[in-house]
C-alpha cells in the first residue's frame, strides 16, 4: 500500500507531488514497440491491428504494464510524470481492445464521455503506488487535475478517428512537450476537428468535453489555445474568430483493423516471430 496518507476524496492528490531534481528516466521503448507492432500506417489516418496482440505479444504488453505499475511515479520530475501517465493510459486502452476484439467497433459506449464514463473507462484496471485506478481516473483525477496545460488531451489514445493521438512513438520525459505540440498542430489543422465559418469556429468534442475542467469554462481561453497551435492558413482564419459554436462533434469511427480469417490459425507466427522482446527492467 502507498505510504501517502490521504482520505478517499483526495486519494489522487499524491500525484500533485513531483521531484524536479529527479533524473530517473523510465524505459518507454516498449510503448513504441507496441504501437509500431499494431499500427498500420496510412496517409489519411493510422489504423490498428489489435488482433496481433496474442501470446508472446500480449505477454510483452502485460510485462510493460507491470513495469509501469512498479515505478514510484510521485517521485519523478514533472515531464517524466506526464510521459508516464500518457503511456499508461494509452497502454490500458490498447489492452482493452486487444482483450475485446469484437467490441472494438462499439467504443462510443465503452468510452462514454468525461462526465459520464462508459464501462471500460470506469473499471479499475491498474494499480499505481497502492491506488487502484481506472482509465477515467487517469484522465480526470490525474491529468485534468494536476496539469494546467491542455496539451495532454492530444496524447490520449482512443482508437477512433476523433482522437488526437497518432504515430508509433511512446512519450518520453525529454520530448513530451514537443511531441504533444506536434500532435496539437496536426489536430487543429484538420477541418474535421476545428472547422471555421466566418467569425465562428466549431470545435471537436475532445476540447468541448473538457471546456469546464481544463479551460475553466472560459471560451476565450479555449479559443486562445486553438489559435496558439494553429498554423498556415488555419492560423490566418482563426485570427478573426471570436465565437465558439455550442454544438461539438466527435468522430467515433473505429480505427480497428479487422483480423484476417487465418489469423487464429497463424497465431503462432505472430506470437513467435513478430512479437517484440521486452527488456524494460524492474
Amino acid at each position: 500500500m502507498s505510504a501517502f496518507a490521504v482520505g478517499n476524496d483526495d486519494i489522487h492528490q499524491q500525484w500533485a507531488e513531483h521531484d524536479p531534481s529527479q533524473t530517473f528516466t523510465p524505459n518507454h521503448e516498449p510503448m513504441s514497440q507496441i504501437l509500431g507492432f499494431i499500427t498500420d500506417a496510412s496517409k489519411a489516418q493510422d489504423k490498428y491491428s489489435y488482433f496481433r496482440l496474442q501470446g508472446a505479444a500480449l505477454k510483452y504488453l502485460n510485462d510493460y504494464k507491470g513495469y509501469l505499475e512498479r515505478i514510484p511515479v510521485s517521485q519523478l520530475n514533472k515531464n517524466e510524470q506526464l510521459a508516464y501517465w500518457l503511456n499508461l493510459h494509452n497502454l490500458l486502452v490498447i489492452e482493452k481492445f486487444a482483450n475485446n476484439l469484437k467490441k472494438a467497433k462499439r467504443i462510443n459506449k465503452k468510452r462514454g464521455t468525461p462526465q459520464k464514463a462508459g464501462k471500460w473507462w470506469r473499471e479499475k484496471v491498474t494499480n499505481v503506488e497502492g491506488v487502484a485506478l481506472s482509465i477515467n481516473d487517469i484522465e480526470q483525477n490525474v491529468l485534468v487535475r494536476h496539469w494546467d496545460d491542455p496539451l495532454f488531451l492530444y496524447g490520449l489514445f482512443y482508437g477512433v478517428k476523433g482522437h488526437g493521438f497518432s504515430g508509433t512513438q511512446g512519450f518520453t520525459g525529454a520530448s513530451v512537450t514537443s511531441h504533444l505540440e506536434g500532435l496539437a498542430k496536426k489536430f487543429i489543422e484538420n477541418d474535421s476537428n476545428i472547422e471555421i465559418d466566418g467569425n465562428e469556429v466549431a470545435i471537436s468534442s475532445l476540447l468541448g468535453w473538457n471546456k469546464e475542467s481544463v479551460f475553466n469554462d472560459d471560451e476565450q481561453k479555449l479559443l486562445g489555445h486553438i489559435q496558439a497551435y494553429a498554423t498556415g492558413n488555419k492560423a490566418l482564419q482563426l485570427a478573426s474568430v471570436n465565437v465558439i459554436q455550442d454544438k461539438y462533434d466527435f468522430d467515433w469511427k473505429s480505427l480497428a483493423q479487422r483480423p484476417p480469417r487465418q489469423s487464429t490459425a497463424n497465431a503462432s507466427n505472430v506470437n513467435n516471430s513478430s512479437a517484440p522482446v521486452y527488456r524494460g527492467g524492474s
Side-chain angles (χ1 to χ4, degrees):
M1 294 294 292
S2 171
F4 198 96
V6 291
N8 289 335
D9 292 342
D10 293 317
I11 199 167
H12 307 99
Q13 186 60 27
Q14 61 180 296
W15 296 306
E17 302 295 326
H18 67 282
D19 184 351
S21 67
Q22 179 59 256
T23 59
F24 171 64
T25 303
N27 176 19
H28 294 302
E29 179 59 24
M31 191 70 226
S32 297
Q33 291 284 328
I34 292 165
L35 286 167
F37 187 58
I38 66 171
T39 299
D40 296 308
S42 169
K43 289 183 178 180
Q45 192 166 20
D46 295 343
K47 293 190 176 181
Y48 305 102
S49 295
Y50 306 109
F51 61 85
R52 293 175 183 156
L53 292 170
Q54 306 174 50
L58 188 58
K59 182 180 185 302
Y60 180 88
L61 183 153
N62 289 329
D63 285 348
Y64 176 52
K65 177 182 175 182
Y67 166 71
L68 292 178
E69 290 174 331
R70 294 191 296 273
I71 291 175
V73 62
S74 59
Q75 298 175 28
L76 300 177
N77 67 48
K78 201 67 172 174
N79 282 344
E80 293 293 353
Q81 285 183 336
L82 180 55
Y84 172 93
W85 289 116
L86 289 172
N87 286 330
L88 179 59
H89 172 281
N90 295 347
L91 186 75
L92 295 173
V93 176
I94 291 170
E95 179 185 45
K96 277 293 185 185
F97 280 120
N99 291 326
N100 299 274
L101 293 177
K102 293 183 179 180
K103 298 178 180 178
K105 299 293 185 181
R106 297 193 291 273
I107 182 61
N108 59 326
K109 293 183 179 179
K110 302 301 180 182
R111 190 266 172 266
T113 67
Q115 292 74 30
K116 191 176 181 180
K119 182 178 179 181
W120 282 9
W121 258 244
R122 296 194 312 269
E123 291 175 338
K124 303 295 184 182
V125 289
T126 190
N127 191 293
V128 177
E129 294 187 309
V131 179
L133 296 172
S134 66
I135 298 172
N136 202 57
D137 284 330
I138 293 175
E139 288 185 20
Q140 299 302 310
N141 293 323
V142 179
L143 291 169
V144 167
R145 188 172 179 178
H146 301 309
W147 269 268
D148 294 331
D149 194 328
L151 278 174
F152 71 82
L153 293 171
Y154 306 102
L156 300 176
F157 182 100
Y158 291 155
V160 297
K161 291 192 71 173
H163 73 179
F165 185 87
S166 64
T168 58
Q169 293 299 308
F171 294 98
T172 66
S175 63
V176 65
T177 300
S178 59
H179 192 166
L180 290 171
E181 287 175 343
L183 292 174
K185 291 174 183 177
K186 183 177 179 179
F187 184 87
I188 291 169
E189 179 63 26
N190 189 334
D191 288 339
S192 296
N193 302 320
I194 305 294
E195 185 177 11
I196 301 166
D197 182 12
N199 71 331
E200 296 188 358
V201 60
I203 63 171
S204 165
S205 298
L206 184 67
L207 299 174
W209 285 330
N210 295 282
K211 180 183 174 184
E212 181 176 357
S213 59
V214 177
F215 298 95
N216 300 321
D217 208 20
D218 186 334
E219 187 171 288
Q220 292 307 306
K221 182 178 180 181
L222 197 165
L223 184 58
H225 166 78
I226 297 170
Q227 292 170 329
Y229 292 100
T231 59
N233 188 54
K234 181 65 71 75
L236 293 175
Q237 291 178 300
L238 279 168
S240 59
V241 166
N242 52 35
V243 176
I244 295 177
Q245 293 182 10
D246 291 335
K247 186 177 180 180
Y248 312 133
D249 194 20
F250 190 80
D251 195 336
W252 287 106
K253 185 176 180 180
S254 174
L255 296 174
Q257 290 280 52
R258 180 176 298 178
R261 290 182 180 180
Q262 70 274 23
S263 63
T264 301
N266 292 343
S268 59
N269 294 334
V270 174
N271 296 347
N272 298 324
S273 63
S274 302
V277 179
Y278 176 67
R279 298 186 178 88
S282 59

